[in-house]
Amino acid sequence: MRKSLLILSFVFVTLSIVFSILPLDTLALLPIGVALILIIITFKKSDVNQRKLVKWLFTVTYICALFVLVKTYLIKDEVEKDQQFEQQKIETKKEAKKELEDLEKDLEGIE
């Protein structure tokens, strides 16, 4: 029973690390929560001398949880306006307008 819990804990800790790195915001807290529950159960099922790996798994999961919370609530995503693109868009509009006016003049000259 302990070995299967330990393997499941390790799998969910690995998923927690992967989800923490990916930009999934609070969705990463799901495998972290499952990992913590499995780690606590494994900790209770383990003897005193078998708890070293479980403590390491708990530490890694705790660090992942802190990383996700800091990344979610303290780091703000800001969209910056691209001035060069905006200027290019205005120039393209002016050029298109000028081409249309030239075409209208050419059409008037043909008639």
Side-chain angles (χ1 to χ4, degrees):
M1 178 73 175
R2 180 189 175 274
K3 283 188 179 184
S4 61
L5 283 171
L6 194 59
I7 291 170
L8 279 173
S9 298
F10 188 75
V11 167
F12 276 97
V13 168
T14 306
L15 281 174
S16 299
I17 293 169
V18 170
F19 276 35
S20 297
I21 294 170
L22 295 174
L24 297 175
D25 288 339
T26 56
L27 186 62
L29 293 175
L30 183 66
I32 290 172
V34 174
L36 286 174
I37 292 169
L38 289 171
I39 289 170
I40 290 170
I41 295 171
T42 307
F43 186 79
K44 288 185 179 184
K45 297 279 184 185
S46 300
D47 291 335
V48 175
N49 58 354
Q50 295 176 332
R51 293 181 174 172
K52 188 173 184 178
L53 179 62
V54 179
K55 288 179 183 179
W56 278 105
L57 290 175
F58 178 76
T59 304
V60 170
T61 307
Y62 183 73
I63 291 170
C64 286
L66 284 176
F67 180 72
V68 168
L69 291 174
V70 166
K71 189 171 74 170
T72 302
Y73 295 113
L74 295 181
I75 299 174
K76 300 295 179 194
D77 293 331
E78 295 179 10
V79 178
E80 192 172 308
K81 201 168 190 177
D82 189 6
Q83 295 295 332
Q84 184 179 2
F85 176 73
E86 292 295 326
Q87 184 65 29
Q88 189 177 21
K89 196 165 76 171
I90 292 170
E91 289 174 6
T92 306
K93 235 181 200 181
K94 287 179 182 178
E95 288 175 11
K97 212 180 240 188
K98 185 178 178 185
E99 287 178 14
L100 280 175
E101 289 173 357
D102 290 343
L103 283 174
E104 283 180 3
K105 288 179 184 177
D106 288 343
L107 285 176
E108 288 176 1
I110 293 176
E111 295 175 356

